[in-house]
């Protein structure tokens, strides 16, 4: 259970907790208009830089992303940092540092036993001694050139990066934030929801200017966030997105509560209607959109979602041959699986645009931006 008592610390009047001294926009805050098709820089420009680094986020911004997408986990001292998972041996150099050898352990997270090093066992000061590494080096060998160069950023640093870009250029970049394993962190007395809202409310940029999407594969924490946002109006443009894992899987909080509902159940017309009671949109895995791998026939997912007012932002679009459908690969040779195939990626993206999606999670925002621009030009 989320401890609502924690909320009273500051959420009762989140706006009053503002400590953003670099407020440059108090009097004339712009109205943000969502693009027709959103390009979300998935973990930054993660096809080109190690994911969840300030450099990956800046690259995504430079390459035309409308939103940048941090996954957040908690440190031992309750600070939100950006990592794909709280287990960090695959995304940092932690395993090579002898001073942290004793932190290696095994934990059960969402029903899976995982061995490694975990953010909740490190203070922020300790995590700042680590450097980021490419998570999938076999698929993105060029990104290894950036190994051990970049730090693990905090959520605050990511907000400040987007804010600095806005102040410099006038362009508003949205924040699309995922809370990772919220039920697990709640059990560690490191619940992230109130901290997340307080952090967003602290900055004028995220409180009043930029669009903010909060996403989760779980359900209970989204409902909690909705309750807090409705009660306190603390983050002006915040919206909630329900993520969808594989169809046979259940949300982790449902498993803990002995609720048998699967993501497939949540993807039916009735399931989407129920999701619409607490969320503004859905982030489905790509196979929810098409009936076949060749993408010749769509499912009813998009029209059913739109019928109840939900936006649809599928994940994840990646430019390498390995991740493209067979019919769109530039090469089917195993030796060329890691090679980039921009033409195939653009074709894939545009099939989803034609199907009616409202946005996409893209590892290479430059390719996604090109796909959007050419698609919209064709459909004028």
């Amino acid at each position: 259970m989320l401890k609502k008592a924690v909320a009273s610390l500051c959420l009762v009047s989140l706006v009053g907790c503002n400590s953003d001294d670099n407020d440059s926009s108090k009097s004339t805050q712009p109205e943000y208009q969502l693009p027709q098709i959103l390009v979300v820089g998935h973990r930054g420009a993660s096809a080109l830089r190690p994911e969840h680094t300030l450099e990956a986020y800046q690259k995504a911004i430079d390459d035309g992303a409308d939103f940048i997408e941090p996954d957040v986990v908690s440190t031992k001292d309750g600070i939100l940092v950006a990592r794909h998972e709280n287990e960090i041996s695959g995304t940092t150099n932690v395993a090579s540092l002898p001073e942290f050898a004793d932190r290696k352990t095994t934990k059960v997270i969402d029903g899976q036993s995982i061995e490694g090093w975990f953010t909740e066992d490190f203070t922020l000061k300790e995590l700042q001694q680590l450097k980021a590494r490419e998570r999938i080096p076999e698929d993105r060998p060029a990104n290894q050139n950036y190994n051990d160069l970049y730090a693990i950023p905090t959520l605050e640093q990511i907000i400040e990066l987007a804010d600095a870009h806005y102040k410099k250029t006038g362009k508003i970049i949205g924040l699309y934030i995922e809370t990772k394993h919220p039920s697990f962190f709640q059990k560690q007395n490191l619940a992230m929801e109130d901290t997340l809202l307080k952090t967003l409310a602290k900055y004028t940029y995220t409180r009043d200017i930029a669009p903010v999407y909060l996403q989760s594969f779980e359900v209970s924490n989204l409902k909690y966030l909705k309750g807090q946002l409705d009660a306190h109006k603390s983050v002006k443009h915040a919206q909630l997105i329900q993520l969808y894992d594989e169809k046979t899987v259940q949300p982790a909080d449902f498993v803990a509560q002995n609720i048998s509902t699967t993501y497939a159940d949540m993807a039916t017309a009735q399931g989407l209607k129920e999701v619409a009671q607490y969320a503004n949109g859905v982030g489905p895995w790509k196979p929810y959109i098409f009936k076949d791998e060749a993408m010749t026939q769509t499912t009813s997912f998009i029209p059913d979602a739109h019928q109840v007012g939900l936006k649809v932002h599928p994940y994840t679009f990646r430019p390498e041959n390995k991740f493209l459908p067979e019919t769109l690969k530039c090469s089917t040779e195993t030796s060329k699986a890691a090679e980039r195939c921009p033409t195939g990626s653009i074709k894939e993206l545009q099939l989803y645009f034609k199907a009616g999606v409202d946005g996409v999670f893209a590892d290479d925002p430059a390719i996604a931006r090109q796909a959007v621009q050419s698609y919209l030009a064709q459909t004028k």
Side-chain angles (χ1 to χ4, degrees):
M1 292 291 290
L2 286 162
K3 295 182 174 65
K4 296 195 176 183
V6 178
S8 64
L9 291 173
C10 207
L11 285 170
V12 171
S13 180
L14 270 172
V15 175
C17 296
N18 176 33
S19 61
D20 181 4
D21 295 327
N22 297 316
D23 184 350
S24 62
S25 315
K26 285 183 178 177
S27 56
T28 57
Q29 289 151 2
E31 285 298 319
Y32 180 87
Q33 296 294 322
L34 282 175
Q36 186 173 340
I37 301 173
L38 290 185
V39 172
V40 182
H42 184 240
R43 310 175 194 168
S46 52
L48 302 169
R49 299 289 187 275
E51 66 188 32
H52 293 312
T53 59
L54 292 180
E55 290 75 12
Y57 298 128
Q58 185 62 57
K59 179 65 173 169
I61 293 170
D62 294 342
D63 287 352
D66 300 301
F67 282 70
I68 51 176
E69 191 238 6
D71 297 338
V72 295
V73 293
S74 181
T75 66
K76 185 176 183 178
D77 44 349
I79 307 299
L80 298 182
V81 297
R83 288 291 88 190
H84 173 52
E85 293 288 343
N86 54 326
E87 199 290 299
I88 54 175
S89 63
T91 60
T92 73
N93 64 342
V94 66
S96 67
L97 300 179
E99 60 267 41
F100 297 127
D102 62 346
R103 305 289 175 90
K104 188 176 184 180
T105 187
T106 300
K107 300 190 180 189
V108 176
I109 300 173
D110 296 351
Q112 291 190 327
S113 180
I114 300 172
E115 183 182 45
W117 288 260
F118 298 83
T119 58
E120 65 271 16
D121 296 330
F122 292 76
T123 65
L124 176 62
K125 186 176 180 180
E126 289 172 331
L127 278 181
Q128 288 173 334
Q129 299 175 46
L130 309 182
K131 296 296 183 182
R133 289 186 175 178
E134 172 55 38
R135 185 177 62 87
I136 46 175
E138 67 280 6
D139 300 319
R140 291 172 178 162
N143 277 8
Q144 294 180 90
N145 294 327
Y146 303 100
N147 280 357
D148 301 346
L149 297 180
Y150 306 145
I152 298 174
T154 65
L155 177 59
E156 292 205 16
Q157 288 175 316
I158 297 165
I159 295 170
E160 289 164 2
L161 178 80
D163 190 18
H165 185 80
Y166 165 65
K167 289 170 179 172
K168 180 179 178 181
T169 68
K171 183 178 180 180
I172 299 172
I173 302 296
L175 276 293
Y176 209 128
I177 304 166
E178 180 184 351
T179 52
K180 300 291 289 195
H181 308 297
S183 290
F184 171 81
F185 278 107
Q186 289 159 23
K187 292 175 183 175
Q188 312 307 307
N189 293 318
L190 290 170
M192 297 181 286
E193 291 77 14
D194 293 337
T195 302
L196 172 59
L197 292 177
K198 286 187 282 187
T199 302
L200 294 172
K202 174 181 174 181
Y203 289 88
T204 299
Y205 184 75
T206 42
R207 189 182 66 242
D208 298 327
I209 299 172
V212 175
Y213 286 172
L214 306 178
Q215 54 175 332
S216 178
F217 282 101
E218 297 189 24
V219 176
S220 303
N221 73 319
L222 287 178
K223 290 182 176 180
Y224 177 81
L225 287 167
K226 175 176 171 55
Q228 293 300 311
L229 289 167
D230 287 350
H232 306 294
K233 309 294 183 185
S234 55
V235 183
K236 184 176 179 182
H237 301 293
Q239 297 196 15
L240 302 174
I241 304 293
Q242 176 66 63
L243 296 174
Y244 283 66
D245 204 332
E246 294 185 38
K247 296 179 181 181
T248 57
V249 173
Q250 299 165 256
D253 55 323
F254 281 8
V255 174
Q257 298 167 40
N258 294 315
I259 298 173
S260 61
T261 303
T262 65
Y263 287 108
D265 297 327
M266 295 168 64
T268 64
Q270 179 59 35
L272 287 163
K273 185 176 180 181
E274 293 171 6
V275 169
Q277 295 176 13
Y278 62 87
N280 306 98
V282 287
W285 186 37
K286 288 190 297 184
Y288 282 88
I289 306 302
F290 286 95
K291 292 183 178 180
D292 57 330
E293 188 179 353
M295 296 180 287
T296 61
Q297 190 175 3
T298 58
T299 67
S300 65
F301 186 91
I302 292 175
D304 288 344
H306 285 168
Q307 180 66 33
V308 292
L310 293 168
K311 298 292 186 183
V312 181
H313 303 152
Y315 68 90
T316 303
F317 294 86
R318 296 180 162 118
E320 297 86 5
N321 282 313
K322 175 179 178 177
F323 301 110
L324 291 170
E326 290 295 317
T327 55
L328 298 180
K329 296 179 189 291
C330 291
S331 173
T332 57
E333 295 180 28
T334 303
S335 62
K336 296 184 178 180
E339 290 186 7
R340 292 163 57 81
C341 180
T343 55
S345 185
I346 288 171
K347 289 176 183 177
E348 181 191 30
L349 283 155
Q350 292 183 342
L351 285 170
Y352 281 81
F353 299 161
K354 186 177 180 181
V357 303
D358 303 289
V360 291
F361 289 87
D363 281 8
D364 193 326
I367 289 176
R369 174 58 57 208
Q370 184 180 348
V372 169
Q373 289 174 340
S374 61
Y375 175 79
L376 294 179
Q378 294 164 16
T379 55
K380 279 185 179 179

